[in-house]
Amino acid sequence: MKFAVLGATGLLGHHAARAIKAAGHQPRLIHRPSTRIERLAYLGAECRAAELFDHAELCRALDGVDGVLFCAGHYPGPPRRWQDEVASALDQSNHFYAACQAVEVPRILYVGAAIALPRHPQGLAGHEGLFYEGMPHWRNAYLLCKWALDEQAREQARCGLPVVIAIPGMTLGAFDVGPSTGRLITAIASGAMRYFVPGARNLIDAAEAGRGLLLALERGRVGERYLLTGQNIQLAELTARIAALLGVAAPRPMPLALARGVAALGRLRYRLTGRAPLLDDTALAVMAGGQYLDGSKAREELGFVAVQSLDDTLLRAIQWFRENGYIEG
């Protein structure tokens, strides 16, 4: 089978491409013309350059595949209005879905985020059947982008596109070039992260998540969500474990109200000086918007069970960051 990956240079996309290769399938990596794709050459994958907004180019890149994983969902950058971020997110993915429809891609996997699910009303672990009643009240750009993209993916499935939704927990691992979620590790290592907002998380190894994404593409039911989960853990314990493995002081808790104030001051400073905020709204949402997750649906329908231990995941991620110059020592 030939499976395409959009966003293979990112953490999840890279591990999804590795899972495709390991399963004996042929990966096709679709990337922007300006993207440095050389570091993925070891996969022996077919590479196609295409801009999301170039319909003809994207159609050519998708033509002939048996399925595609969309790991390139919009991620808010420097502070701007949440309305603009949501519009950009939906515009980009609309072009993707239009190209998939034009060349009749048989299977489409949208890789979502757990923050698109509201918290369980009884405080239990979140599951795939949780939906917001209307727009979320918190006008946070990251939250609203992921909520809107989830709504869009389900609407595309209702309209006839073969879209499946996979939602990994918080992901850590090797090949996090940005880094993205790995900033939790690098910021603790450097001392830049002295505080955190308490909350519940589900953490999954990046390699496990990549394997789960492939299973969702292969076996998932159209229009359904699947949570790919690892270990449920409080952020206080997670940051303490990371700090202990690094041999540094653990961050201290900060109330959400105070963190929101710090983020607001950071936005104001950015508008006045252009300096990036130390605590931006995306980081705030990632810390404060989490919950424990229930992965029983993916286990029962996809046969997905994460077996990598949390400590092994953290040790391997830390080792990769050290070997690649993100962490000293």
Side-chain angles (χ1 to χ4, degrees):
M1 305 288 278
K2 183 178 293 185
F3 293 132
V5 180
L6 271 80
T9 56
L11 176 63
L12 279 169
H14 194 146
H15 282 277
R18 286 169 61 89
I20 291 169
K21 182 75 172 181
H25 302 302
Q26 181 181 350
R28 177 185 291 180
L29 311 183
I30 301 176
H31 60 93
R32 293 186 177 92
S34 60
T35 299
R36 296 289 301 275
I37 201 73
E38 296 88 350
R39 60 189 177 83
L40 279 78
Y42 75 96
L43 291 172
E46 178 185 0
C47 296
R48 298 281 185 91
E51 292 284 359
L52 272 175
F53 295 112
D54 189 323
H55 181 74
E57 198 172 63
L58 189 55
C59 285
R60 286 193 294 271
L62 287 168
D63 192 31
V65 300
D66 298 293
V68 57
L69 293 91
F70 186 60
C71 304
H74 180 76
Y75 196 89
R80 62 172 182 161
R81 298 191 322 148
W82 65 263
Q83 295 94 331
D84 296 329
E85 294 287 1
V86 171
S88 293
L90 294 176
D91 189 28
Q92 288 179 7
S93 49
N94 268 331
H95 282 80
F96 165 72
Y97 290 125
C100 288
Q101 184 175 28
V103 299
E104 299 181 349
V105 175
R107 300 280 291 177
I108 303 167
L109 185 76
Y110 163 66
V111 182
I115 199 169
L117 283 62
R119 288 181 177 167
H120 194 291
Q122 280 80 50
L124 303 176
H127 57 75
E128 292 87 348
L130 296 173
F131 300 95
Y132 282 98
E133 295 182 1
M135 182 182 291
H137 295 299
W138 187 11
R139 296 299 188 256
N140 179 285
Y142 178 74
L143 163 61
L144 292 172
C145 282
K146 297 307 178 182
W147 165 79
L149 290 169
D150 180 81
E151 292 278 316
Q152 180 192 45
R154 290 186 293 113
E155 179 62 24
Q156 291 290 340
R158 286 191 291 267
C159 291
L161 275 184
V163 179
V164 179
I165 301 167
I167 301 175
M170 181 180 180
T171 308
L172 290 174
F175 309 114
D176 192 0
V177 172
S180 54
T181 47
R183 280 184 291 178
L184 180 66
I185 293 174
T186 59
I188 292 174
S190 68
M193 183 177 174
R194 293 181 295 167
Y195 300 94
F196 68 92
V197 178
R201 306 297 307 172
N202 182 278
L203 192 136
I204 184 171
D205 186 271
E208 299 272 38
R211 181 172 59 86
L213 293 177
L214 176 58
L215 287 172
L217 178 65
E218 292 177 318
R219 306 177 187 178
R221 288 184 288 136
V222 170
E224 294 293 318
R225 290 163 159 172
Y226 294 92
L227 291 173
L228 307 175
T229 61
Q231 180 173 331
N232 288 320
I233 188 170
Q234 288 290 324
L235 198 56
E237 182 182 351
L238 177 59
T239 53
R241 283 201 194 190
I242 293 171
L245 292 171
L246 291 167
V248 300
R252 292 175 289 173
M254 174 187 290
L256 177 57
L258 178 57
R260 283 177 166 171
V262 171
L265 289 174
R267 288 195 301 273
L268 177 60
R269 186 181 69 172
Y270 175 79
R271 295 190 186 101
L272 295 175
T273 68
R275 292 176 60 190
L278 296 175
L279 175 63
D280 60 25
D281 288 326
T282 297
L284 183 60
V286 168
M287 286 191 288
Q291 63 180 320
Y292 289 162
L293 299 176
D294 178 356
S296 58
K297 181 177 178 179
R299 181 174 63 251
E300 293 164 4
E301 294 192 19
L302 308 179
F304 175 75
V305 178
V307 296
Q308 188 72 44
S309 73
L310 175 61
D311 282 340
D312 283 348
T313 293
L314 296 178
L315 284 169
R316 291 199 303 175
I318 289 170
Q319 180 182 1
W320 188 86
F321 284 126
R322 281 200 170 116
E323 290 175 350
N324 288 273
Y326 292 86
I327 297 174
E328 295 182 359

